[in-house]
């Protein structure tokens, strides 16, 4: 029995012409208030973690969490300025700053150590947790598709040697700690002064890389492809924000239930007197093909920034840059992020933190007016069996819920006999609500129709079953071919 799952944020699923009192809302993960921040800038070479661009990976074979993060190991204005002075004047970045890649690890995802790797010399000493010098915006992936064990871990970075050269490069590792030398890209050299995040495209069976360029005066997220992780295609635009106020700074991506979901960091510019000027928030994005992304719920921020302002505000009150979420050894989903306590172009200190997400509950459809009934209609679905289930929860647990369903040949027509609101009934199965009728859905096997849901006091996250999307809502050429298939 093959169940296909569709998240309610997937716009291919829904018919917007046939919806009433429904709105889509991003569902923020719950911050781990008890343990945050997980680690801070506490080593001499951690002069300024800045954006951090965290890559937090759970290695199931080792039972180990690994974190790779970008930092400034040389930054004169930060190093020569006391904490008291930082609160009284603006930060002055210099062109001789040096970025590097650092590594930390944890057995439980909470308590982190920064091991002495003896790899990179910093001021005459290699007793530090640095992996590469001159590495900017490094992205790291654990490649489950790789057959060469020496390339189990992969990274992409922008090499920046002040006053000399800049170029894109990759490296490989068998264990996430012992890395090869950096190998320059043979083609293309995008600006890439952001989180350069590689990932595997499940549908195209290739590697993809999210990076960033400047276009039309604003920051633009780009996508590149590669078959061998060394030769990359020319970066193409994948997503842009809106205006100066919502520019895409970086966007880690993860694959979930046939979709690519992104956590875009947006920088706010355009008006220095605005409260959120020069701060960075996150929004949820989605794509069906990993090439073109869109916002799930425009204007809704995913990880709330902490309270206050530099230098006395909470550790994440200024800027947030996320890692792709992970599933730990106990099945919990965690979204790790770097939180900065100041404005993007000013003094700030950054720390690693985490928040817990519930799988499938990244965004939800819920009533715009909670005291009224809502109506939701899908595009055409092909029914391939008897199971049909909704992931939902009560908006107000103390009040009763309403959920009824019916099937239509076309959404503007009458419901099919035996599949009406009145004939539908529910059964809860391990957190999912099973929808049934007097007739079995098996009778529609191989045929198509639209599903209508009437509900009240419910939040809807996902739909699953022996179903598949079978065309756009305006296509009405299918034939259900049932006797007495519509009620008069």
């Amino acid at each position: 029995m093959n169940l296909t799952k569709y998240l309610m944020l997937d716009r291919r699923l829904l018919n917007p012409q046939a919806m009433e009192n429904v709105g889509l809302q991003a569902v923020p993960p719950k911050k781990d208030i008890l343990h945050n921040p997980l680690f801070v800038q506490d080593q001499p070479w951690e002069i300024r973690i800045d954006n951090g661009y965290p890559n937090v990976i759970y290695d199931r074979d080792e039972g180990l969490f690994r974190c790779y993060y970008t930092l400034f190991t040389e930054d004169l204005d930060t190093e020569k300025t006391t904490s008291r002075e930082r609160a009284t004047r603006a930060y002055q970045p210099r062109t001789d700053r040096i970025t590097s890649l650092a590594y930390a690890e944890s057995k439980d995802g909470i308590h982190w150590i920064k091991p002495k790797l003896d790899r990179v010399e910093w001021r005459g000493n290699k007793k530090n947790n640095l992996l590469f010098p001159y590495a900017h915006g490094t992205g790291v992936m654990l490649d489950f598709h790789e057959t060469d064990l020496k390339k189990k871990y992969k990274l992409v970075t922008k090499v920046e040697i002040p006053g000399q050269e800049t170029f894109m490069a990759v490296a490989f590792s068998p264990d996430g700690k012992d890395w090869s030398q950096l190998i320059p890209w043979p083609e293309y050299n995008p600006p890439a002064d952001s989180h350069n995040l590689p990932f595997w495209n499940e549908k195209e069976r290739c590697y993809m890389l999210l990076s960033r360029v400047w276009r039309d005066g604003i920051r633009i997220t780009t996508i590149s492809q590669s078959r061998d992780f060394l030769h990359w295609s020319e970066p193409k635009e994948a997503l842009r924000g809106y205006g100066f106020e919502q520019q895409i700074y970086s966007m880690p991506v993860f694959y979930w239930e046939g979709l690519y979901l992104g956590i875009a960091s947006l920088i706010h510019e355009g008006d220095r007197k605005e409260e959120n000027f020069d701060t960075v928030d996150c929004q949820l994005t989605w794509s069906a093909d990993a090439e073109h992304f869109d916002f799930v719920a425009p204007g809704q921020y995913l990880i709330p920034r902490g309270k206050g302002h530099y230098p006395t505000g909470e550790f994440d009150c200024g800027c947030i840059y996320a890692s792709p979420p992970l599933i730990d050894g106990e099945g919990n989903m965690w979204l790790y992020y770097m939180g900065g306590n100041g404005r993007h172009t000013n003094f700030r200190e950054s720390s690693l933190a985490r928040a817990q997400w519930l799988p499938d509950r990244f965004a939800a459809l819920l009533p715009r007016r909670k005291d009224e009934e809502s109506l939701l209609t899908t595009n055409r679905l092909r029914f391939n069996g008897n199971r049909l289930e909704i992931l939902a929860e009560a908006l107000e647990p103390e009040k009763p819920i309403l959920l009824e369903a019916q099937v239509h040949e076309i959404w503007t027509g009458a419901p099919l006999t035996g599949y009406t609101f009145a004939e539908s009934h529910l059964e809860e199965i391990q957190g999912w609500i099973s929808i049934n009728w007097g007739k079995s859905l098996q009778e529609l096997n191989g045929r198509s129709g639209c599903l209508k849901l009437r509900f009240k006091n419910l939040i809807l996250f996902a739909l699953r079953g022996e179903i598949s999307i079978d065309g756009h809502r305006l296509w009405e050429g299918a034939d259900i071919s049932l006797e007495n298939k519509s009620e008069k």
Side-chain angles (χ1 to χ4, degrees):
M1 182 182 300
N2 296 319
L3 298 185
T4 303
K5 186 186 301 178
Y6 295 101
L7 303 181
M8 289 299 177
L9 61 84
D10 188 343
R11 293 176 190 163
R12 301 171 302 171
L13 175 66
L14 306 176
N15 182 344
Q17 278 288 320
M19 294 164 61
E20 299 174 10
N21 190 31
V22 174
L24 185 62
Q25 182 172 301
V27 180
K30 185 178 180 180
K31 289 184 179 181
D32 187 355
I33 302 298
L34 178 63
H35 300 109
N36 288 342
L38 305 175
F39 71 68
V40 300
Q41 300 175 195
D42 58 3
Q43 301 300 318
W45 52 88
E46 292 180 323
I47 294 174
R48 177 181 169 108
I49 290 183
D50 200 73
N51 302 340
Y53 303 131
N55 307 265
V56 182
I57 295 168
Y58 181 67
D59 190 326
R60 291 182 176 274
D61 294 337
E62 300 294 331
L64 196 65
F65 295 82
R66 305 184 191 275
C67 177
Y68 305 85
Y69 59 103
T70 298
L71 73 164
F72 286 108
T73 48
E74 299 291 345
D75 180 16
L76 190 60
D77 199 46
T78 296
E79 188 172 17
K80 298 298 183 181
T81 307
T82 66
S83 298
R84 179 175 295 181
E85 290 173 328
R86 293 178 191 179
T88 62
R89 72 167 180 85
Y91 171 58
Q92 299 294 325
R94 294 165 44 128
T95 58
D96 59 356
R97 298 183 300 176
I98 295 177
T99 54
S100 299
L101 178 66
Y103 169 82
E105 63 186 28
S106 171
K107 292 183 178 180
D108 59 7
I110 300 171
H111 303 91
W112 293 81
I113 62 171
K114 300 172 183 178
K116 295 179 175 60
L117 301 175
D118 295 310
R119 182 180 175 94
V120 176
E121 183 174 316
W122 184 81
R123 298 183 183 178
N125 196 326
K126 290 187 177 181
K127 301 297 183 181
N128 58 59
N129 68 324
L130 301 177
L131 287 172
F132 289 101
Y134 310 114
H136 184 106
T138 306
V140 183
M141 67 177 290
L142 174 55
D143 188 359
F144 297 104
H145 303 86
E146 181 60 72
T147 57
D148 185 349
L149 296 181
K150 294 180 181 179
K151 297 182 178 180
K152 178 180 176 181
Y153 281 84
K154 295 177 169 64
L155 69 76
V156 178
T157 194
K158 180 75 171 182
V159 177
E160 291 185 332
I161 305 176
Q164 297 186 41
E165 59 182 340
T166 64
F167 57 89
M168 297 294 289
V170 302
F172 305 97
S173 171
D175 58 7
K177 294 173 72 171
D178 182 21
W179 288 86
S180 69
Q181 295 299 310
L182 292 172
I183 306 170
W185 278 21
E187 306 91 12
Y188 305 113
N189 191 31
D193 57 335
S194 182
H195 195 172
N196 299 289
L197 193 121
F199 62 97
W200 177 257
N201 186 322
E202 293 286 348
K203 298 178 180 179
E204 297 295 328
R205 311 300 293 177
C206 69
Y207 299 101
M208 304 196 81
L209 176 73
L210 284 160
S211 187
R212 196 191 74 195
V213 301
W214 286 80
R215 187 170 297 160
D216 305 325
I218 59 174
R219 300 168 177 89
I220 301 294
T221 293
T222 61
I223 193 80
S224 301
Q225 294 184 351
S226 175
R227 296 292 176 183
D228 61 5
F229 209 80
L230 180 59
H231 297 83
W232 294 87
S233 65
E234 183 177 5
K236 295 182 179 180
E237 182 174 328
L239 177 70
R240 68 171 62 198
Y242 25 103
F244 291 126
E245 296 81 6
Q246 307 279 356
Q247 298 180 61
I248 311 296
Y249 206 98
S250 63
M251 189 175 67
V253 162
F254 65 105
Y255 184 72
W256 192 265
E257 298 298 343
L259 297 178
Y260 298 88
L261 302 181
I263 306 163
S265 287
L266 288 88
I267 185 170
H268 311 298
E269 296 182 327
D271 188 341
R272 298 187 64 85
K273 292 188 176 181
E274 281 292 315
E275 176 67 19
N276 69 352
F277 174 78
D278 204 28
T279 60
V280 178
D281 285 294
C282 292
Q283 288 194 35
L284 185 63
T285 66
W286 78 287
S287 173
D289 59 12
E291 295 185 15
H292 305 91
F293 286 79
D294 199 0
F295 293 99
V296 169
Q300 297 181 23
Y301 299 134
L302 190 61
I303 307 174
R305 284 185 285 117
K307 298 178 180 179
H309 304 277
Y310 189 84
T312 58
E314 295 181 355
F315 75 93
D316 56 357
C317 67
C319 300
I320 292 181
Y321 293 89
S323 171
L326 58 82
I327 304 292
D328 67 15
E330 298 178 354
N332 300 307
M333 174 175 277
W334 295 101
L335 178 58
Y336 284 82
Y337 67 95
M338 282 288 183
N341 63 352
R343 296 184 186 274
H344 175 261
T345 58
N346 215 326
F347 287 111
R348 58 187 158 111
E349 296 80 48
S350 294
S351 308
L352 184 71
R354 71 176 188 174
Q356 188 171 15
W357 236 349
L358 295 179
D360 300 328
R361 299 174 186 241
F362 311 121
L365 289 172
L366 68 166
R368 296 179 184 273
R369 300 168 298 280
K370 65 180 183 180
D371 294 327
E372 300 178 16
E373 289 185 3
S374 299
L375 181 66
L376 175 69
T377 306
T378 70
N379 284 323
R380 299 191 65 82
L381 300 176
R382 181 171 294 275
F383 300 101
N384 304 311
N386 193 44
R387 286 186 64 178
L388 186 65
E389 299 166 3
I390 294 284
L391 181 61
E393 66 181 34
L395 181 62
E396 297 178 287
E398 69 279 3
K399 295 183 178 180
I401 66 168
L402 167 70
L403 178 59
E404 298 175 333
Q406 60 188 21
V407 180
H408 296 245
E409 181 178 3
I410 58 175
W411 72 272
T412 53
L416 304 182
T417 300
Y419 303 96
T420 66
F421 286 140
E423 294 167 295
S424 65
H425 57 276
L426 310 176
E427 178 184 357
E428 186 171 345
I429 302 176
Q430 296 180 340
W432 289 75
I433 300 174
S434 176
I435 302 174
N436 303 281
W437 289 270
K439 286 187 175 182
S440 169
L441 270 179
Q442 194 74 42
E443 295 189 29
L444 303 182
N445 190 34
R447 300 178 175 87
S448 299
C450 302
L451 177 70
K452 285 190 178 182
L453 300 175
R454 186 165 64 190
F455 62 97
K456 187 175 182 181
N457 191 34
L458 270 181
I459 304 172
L460 309 184
F461 301 101
L463 174 71
R464 75 179 183 187
E466 295 165 280
I467 55 174
S468 58
I469 294 176
D470 193 38
H472 190 270
R473 67 183 186 277
L474 298 181
W475 183 77
E476 299 180 353
D479 181 15
I480 296 290
S481 301
L482 293 179
E483 293 184 5
N484 301 319
K485 62 185 176 184
S486 60
E487 290 187 336
K488 304 298 184 182

